[in-house]
Amino acid sequence: MTNASPASSRLIATVDALRTALAESTDVLSFTLGGTIDEETAAAAEADGVPREYLDFCRVLDGASCGPSVQLFGLEEAEEHQFFCEPVVDSPLPLSPEKLYCVGMIQEAPVYLDRAGGGVLGTPEAGADWVDAERFDQLAPSVEAYFLERLVAFDEYKRLALVDDELVEYDDWLKLLRRAGLAD
């Protein structure tokens, strides 16, 4: 991230392109992209322990519902999903609300922001059996990178969302990426 702004110009340009494409796409669900949070909301959330990096992202994009199996939560929804950070009996995963902040879901598995390192962690391959995973995989070095390199990258999103080639034309998020000029 740049010193001038907590969000990169690439993130801002990408979100602007997605919002423009969404406004022109009456066949794509309008709740696909969240709005933004204001400074007052961000300050209150930070005082409640929400990681600053996540709040910086929400100032640009307060969540994205990429499809039924991939979501990047907006602030309000994230706050409702923090129970995923609580330790689970017999799970080998190092779950802890002091160390993790749940920011989304992939295939019924939570996606976390590592409070210490800022990386995005998850067990997307495990799906609904995520609590039995042996370890977290690093999905990206930051929330911004996760969004730009995983969710906005056509082929990577297609892989995460388990969209097969026959269904590509029906996936709203992939339609939006193409219309925003973000797909090959």
Side-chain angles (χ1 to χ4, degrees), residues 122-179:
T123 59
E125 305 298 323
D129 296 327
W130 65 273
V131 294
D132 297 325
E134 295 295 319
R135 62 179 170 70
F136 288 120
D137 295 327
Q138 175 138 351
L139 303 177
S142 67
V143 176
E144 180 175 325
Y146 172 69
F147 179 73
L148 293 172
E149 297 168 12
R150 296 291 193 132
L151 303 185
V152 177
F154 190 89
D155 289 333
E156 184 59 21
Y157 166 77
K158 192 174 127 182
R159 187 186 71 73
L160 286 174
L162 303 177
V163 178
D164 62 30
D165 291 338
E166 293 79 36
L167 298 176
V168 165
E169 67 184 275
Y170 302 105
D171 185 283
D172 278 356
W173 185 251
L174 294 175
K175 281 183 201 175
L176 192 60
L177 293 178
R178 283 192 302 272
R179 292 173 185 173

Side-chain angles (χ1 to χ4, degrees), residues 25-127:
S25 299
T26 57
D27 61 330
V28 175
L29 298 172
S30 63
F31 65 81
T32 300
L33 297 174
T36 60
I37 61 169
D38 59 33
E39 292 305 317
E40 184 179 328
T41 301
E46 188 171 5
D48 286 340
V50 177
R52 176 176 284 167
E53 178 185 341
Y54 178 66
L55 294 170
D56 289 344
F57 182 84
C58 290
R59 285 179 175 101
V60 177
L61 179 61
D62 189 26
S65 181
C66 305
S69 59
V70 180
Q71 295 90 31
L72 179 59
F73 297 146
L75 178 60
E76 188 175 315
E77 192 171 8
E79 290 173 341
E80 295 169 4
H81 283 83
Q82 293 315 300
F83 63 90
F84 282 112
C85 298
E86 296 294 331
V88 175
V89 175
D90 295 330
S91 175
L93 295 173
L95 296 167
S96 165
E98 293 78 28
K99 295 179 181 180
L100 302 170
Y101 189 80
C102 185
V103 296
M105 300 288 282
I106 299 173
Q107 303 300 334
E108 299 181 52
V111 173
Y112 299 100
L113 175 64
D114 176 0
R115 289 178 179 269
V120 176
L121 309 171
T123 59
E125 305 298 323

